[in-house]
Structures are given as C-alpha cells and as structure tokens.
Amino acid sequence: MTSVAGARSGKPRYLQIADDIEEQIKGGRLAPAEEVPSETVLMERYGVSSGTVRKAIAELRAAGLVETFQGKGSFVKSRPPVTRKSSDRFRRSHRRAGKAAYIAETEQAGVKPTVQVLSIGPVAAPREIAERLGTADGDKVLARRRLYFSDGVPTEEATSYLPWSVARDIPELFEENPGGGGIYARLEEHGHEFAEYVETVRARLATKQEASALGLSPGSAIIHLTRNAVTTSGKVVEVCDTIMAADQFVLDYRIPALD
Amino acid sequence: MTSVAGARSGKPRYLQIADDIEEQIKGGRLAPAEEVPSETVLMERYGVSSGTVRKAIAELRAAGLVETFQGKGSFVKSRPPVTRKSSDRFRRSHRRAGKAAYIAETEQAGVKPTVQVLSIGPVAAPREIAERLGTADGDKVLARRRLYFSDGVPTEEATSYLPWSVARDIPELFEENPGGGGIYARLEEHGHEFAEYVETVRARLATKQEASALGLSPGSAIIHLTRNAVTTSGKVVEVCDTIMAADQFVLDYRIPALD
DNA sequence: TAGTGGTCTAGACCACCGT
DNA sequence: CGGTGGTCTAGACCACTAC
C-alpha cells in the first residue's frame, strides 16, 4: 500500500543508493576487492525493499564498479592494468626474437601473458570469414581458438582461420604451440611473405557467452577486432577474429599521410 | 505465495520472453519502428507479472533491439546504416576535392552528413591533450567542438585542439566553416605538411552526458578515438578527441608489414 | 481521462556458497 | 545449515503521452 517512494527528491531512490555506494567506492571507504554490504544489510540501512536494492546494485554493475557472485556477494572491482595494443606488434624482428605478437605486446605492458588453446581443427568457414579469405561460404578451413590471459585474468578470445590449402602443408599449425614467433613465423617460413595486415575494429556490448568466456559482467563493453593477414601476392592467408574486454585494451594505429 | 516460476526449463522466464520477442524482431514479424506490445498485453500473453515483462524488455533494450519511451511504449529500433571509418579518409586528394574527412567517409556510406558547431574558442588544455600536443598542462589552445549527424541522427561528438601558436595565424580556424577540405587543408596551406596520423582507440560504456549528447540509451557502448596529426617536422599540430556511438561505426586500419 | 512505462513494496521460492 | 544473490508475484502510486 505504501507507495511513498518515487520522487522524494526528483531522483529515483535506487539511483540515490547507487550514487551513495559509488561515492563510498571512489572515496576509498570501500576498497577494491572488498565486499559490498549484502542486500539484506542495504535494505535495512536505506529502509527500502529488496527490489530497490537490487536495482541499485545492477546500476553499479552496469557502470563496471562492482561484480556480483551468486551465493557469495558483491565485490568492488579492482581496476586491472591496461594492455596497449600498438600497431607495430607484427614486426618481423619480434618474430625472429621468437616472440608472437601477443607476447611482444603484453610483456611491454609489464603483464605476465599466458595462452590456453581451446581447439584446433577443421571447421566450415562462417560467411564473413569466407568472404575475407576469398573462399566459398562453408569451405573447410583450419580454426585455432585460444584464450589469452594477462596475469591470470582472461582478457581476449581469438580465433584464427586459415584456408585449408595453406594450412595442410604446415604441420606446426596443428600443434598447440606452433613454435617461436607464432603462426606468422611458420607461414613466412613456408613462402607466405606478408605485405600488410588489415584490421577492422568494432565495439559493442558483450553477449552472455562472451561475457562468461572473458569473466565479465553481462553488459560490459567489448572490442571486436578482425584482422586479415595479406601476403605480397595479395592473398589473405589468415583471418583472426578477436573479442577483447574493452576496459583492458587500448589500440594504437599509425596512418601515413597520403595523397 | 505462488513462487511457481523460476527454472521451468532451466532458463529464467524473462529471458525466454526476451528471446521470443527477439525472434519476432529478427524474423520480421515485428518490423523496425513498429511498436512492441504493451507491458499489459505481454503480461497476459505470457501469463507473468509486470516485473517479469519489464526485465524482458530491459534485456532487449540492453541488446540494442528496442528503445522505450515513457508514456508511449517500446519500439523496435531501426538499424541505422553503419558508417565505415576507413583509414584512407585523410588523403590529400579528398581535401583537394574540397571534402573534409567526415564528408568523404559518410558520403561513401550513402548517408547524408551534417555538422553542428558547438563551440570554437580558446581553452586551457586538459592534461592528456597537453601531453599529446607537447605543451604544458593548462596552456592556451584552440578548441573546436562539433557534433556530427548521419541522416539527422547524432553519431559523433568531436573536439579538435590546436596549439595557440599554430591557430592564431589561421583566421579560418575560428570560423564555423573553415572552408573546403576542412581544417587540415587550411593547416597544410600554412606550411604544416602532414606526415602521419596516430589514432588511439578505446571502447567503454557511455557516461550519462555522452549518452544524452548522442541520443543513446544509457549503458550503450561508445568508441573513444583520439588522433594526433603529426607534421613532417615531427610536430603535433592538432589533437582530435572523438566520442562515437559504437553501433554506428566500423573502423578500418591498414598496417604495413615491417621488419 | 485512459493508457503507457517507471518506481516501489513485501513478501515468496530457488540456486548457490560456505561452514 | 544459514546466508547470499536470482527470480517472480500481485499489487500500488507516479509521470508522461495522447486523445
């Protein structure tokens, strides 16, 4: 019956509560990784019902300030270090030094990189991938799916697609560890000399699957990067499709001035 | 008392409802700009209470499929055309043809571009901008803030910063319309020959201000792009800071293979 | 004034986590 | 087991829109 609620001061109660907790976080009174008071406690403290508290927490989650775990509670997010993806990470000199692109760039950021291979094997090429590879929709391609971690935190899920005609001759591409310098080094050893890489960047909200794969709260932003590796003969020998947690990456690109 | 609910088939009811409506949209049974049935109707149709219907609609809103207006209803979003930002948009030939970068790229996408100048004038350089320009924090710089529209829909808010020492000699930079080819054409006319542009891409959720400036629902993803314009003498003569609606842009970059 | 979405209540049961 | 968050109900009142 109450009703009461609503716009005592213009602003919805759940936003007032969210703002209050946000200030406590930003003011340091709630430290990173610390547990936010439970819903029961907050209901009593603010004199509201469960639904209102839950909307407030949902607001904080959407803002990326807390994450919640069923049965455990809500916790202040610790802001993880940013990994900078700079556009010189594909230099041959890195590969000659035995470093794949991911290792080269994250080491630079002072983060310990690890990789987990999720699957390697033939698949039917999805439409967009086939278009980029210049093959037909559904053609057999080699897919290498892997998950990258920075200091143990999953940050990036990447799938490389290679035309079967290219991949079948290079046995290392079917190994979990393709050897020093990564798959690009192996491709160059087999006569595929790279001329350029073309990257396409999109950003959007994470789907449920992506969020859980990267350990994100639903509603987080992700960067979707697709890269074509183009050889001097103009052939696309690899397409890499990557989903990254947006808050952990900054992408740098240099564009030469042209006429 | 009921309770009932919960996991009849593993999946929460509100997600089932959201999925059902999503299929109706993707299957074309709910056309773009069409009104989604009202909450009252949906409550009856699915036999659930208001809260459940509201969560389902919230899910669709988060996925960017519908937008809702208080007192009017929820409507299927018409998917606006994607503007592709390709990395050759700074070619001099575009400028010689009298086209600024934004015009060149959106025309290509078949969209009618318009620009609204929000402000032009001296400001104290924010820290990150000063760093990029190579001046001191708080130095006087010329700021040009403008809002870009595609087919009348706000899509991008950009602020250009130029060192005062560069800007003061070029009167056109203080005009709303800097003339054919945009400010880059004027800078080149005054002896600043560009060597390269360095772009930094970030993605995150929109703040409240950004969301309202771009007409987005809060919680939408945005792309934050910052560009340095570097001359052949190595000087940064402009820094452009841009906030874009993530669902309206795809960024393309070409990275030459280097040793 | 009738209909819409926006907020809120005071409960309920479920699923998960720790002890 | 008790505590946590996750889902849901069946209402209520408020604010806005359209007629």
Side-chain angles (χ1 to χ4, degrees), chain B residues 165-173 178 182-194 231 237:
Chain B
S165 59
V166 169
R168 67 178 170 207
D169 300 324
I170 312 179
E172 292 97 328
L173 297 184
I183 66 172
Y184 287 2
R186 297 296 86 69
L187 285 164
E188 288 206 309
E189 286 167 3
H190 282 74
H192 301 287
E193 192 191 344
F194 292 113
T231 64
V237 292

Side-chain angles (χ1 to χ4, degrees), chain A residues 80-81 102 111-112 114 148-156 214-215 248:
Chain A
Y102 183 78
V111 176
K112 189 156 66 68
T114 46
Y148 292 93
F149 299 81
S150 298
D151 285 340
V153 181
T155 55
E156 179 179 348
L214 294 179
Q248 301 188 309

Side-chain angles (χ1 to χ4, degrees), chain B residues 18-100:
Chain B
D19 287 350
D20 189 43
I21 299 175
E22 178 170 348
E23 266 190 38
Q24 290 179 38
I25 293 173
K26 295 200 168 153
R29 297 196 292 292
L30 277 175
E34 193 171 335
E35 186 167 357
V36 174
S38 77
E39 294 183 358
T40 321
V41 171
L42 293 174
M43 283 167 65
E44 286 173 8
R45 176 178 306 175
Y46 293 102
V48 296
S49 74
S50 67
T52 307
V53 165
R54 289 186 57 71
K55 276 201 90 169
I57 300 274
E59 201 70 14
L60 295 170
R61 219 173 18 229
L65 287 169
V66 307
E67 44 191 346
T68 83
F69 306 91
Q70 183 175 140
K72 294 174 70 177
S74 292
F75 301 83
V76 178
K77 261 199 197 176
S78 44
R79 190 167 299 281
V82 171
T83 302
R84 186 172 217 94
K85 287 244 180 194
S86 122
S87 57
D88 76 337
R89 66 189 184 281
F90 297 117
R91 300 183 84 97
R92 290 195 183 86
S93 50
H94 288 148
R95 294 204 281 276
R96 295 219 185 84
K99 294 181 180 175

Side-chain angles (χ1 to χ4, degrees), chain A residues 2 5 12-14 48-50 52 55 70 72:
Chain A
T2 47
R13 195 81 180 89
Y14 75 89
V48 298
S49 74
S50 66
T52 307
K55 276 202 88 170
Q70 182 173 146
K72 293 175 69 179

Side-chain angles (χ1 to χ4, degrees), chain A residues 113-137:
Chain A
T114 46
V115 186
Q116 178 190 345
V117 173
L118 301 176
S119 69
I120 301 177
V123 302
R127 192 188 52 74
E128 200 201 330
I129 302 300
E131 259 174 33
R132 286 168 169 267
L133 285 174
T135 71
D137 191 353

Side-chain angles (χ1 to χ4, degrees), chain B residues 136-234:
Chain B
D137 190 354
D139 271 11
K140 183 159 85 163
V141 298
L142 174 63
R144 297 175 52 92
R145 290 216 312 141
R146 57 245 186 252
L147 188 58
Y148 292 93
F149 300 81
S150 298
D151 284 341
V153 181
T155 56
E156 180 180 350
E157 185 178 344
T159 307
S160 281
Y161 298 91
L162 300 99
W164 194 255
S165 59
V166 169
R168 67 178 170 207
D169 300 324
I170 312 179
E172 292 97 328
L173 297 184
F174 294 80
E175 303 294 326
E176 286 214 0
N177 182 350
I183 66 172
Y184 287 2
R186 297 296 86 69
L187 285 164
E188 288 206 309
E189 286 167 3
H190 282 74
H192 301 287
E193 192 191 344
F194 292 113
E196 65 171 1
Y197 311 91
V198 179
E199 295 199 341
T200 301
V201 183
R202 298 179 177 84
R204 54 179 169 75
L205 300 182
T207 65
K208 286 208 164 43
Q209 300 94 302
E210 289 164 350
S212 76
L214 294 178
L216 302 172
S217 345
S220 304
I222 56 99
I223 296 173
H224 179 187
L225 190 152
T226 312
R227 177 180 55 250
N228 292 8
V230 188
T231 64
T232 49
S233 60

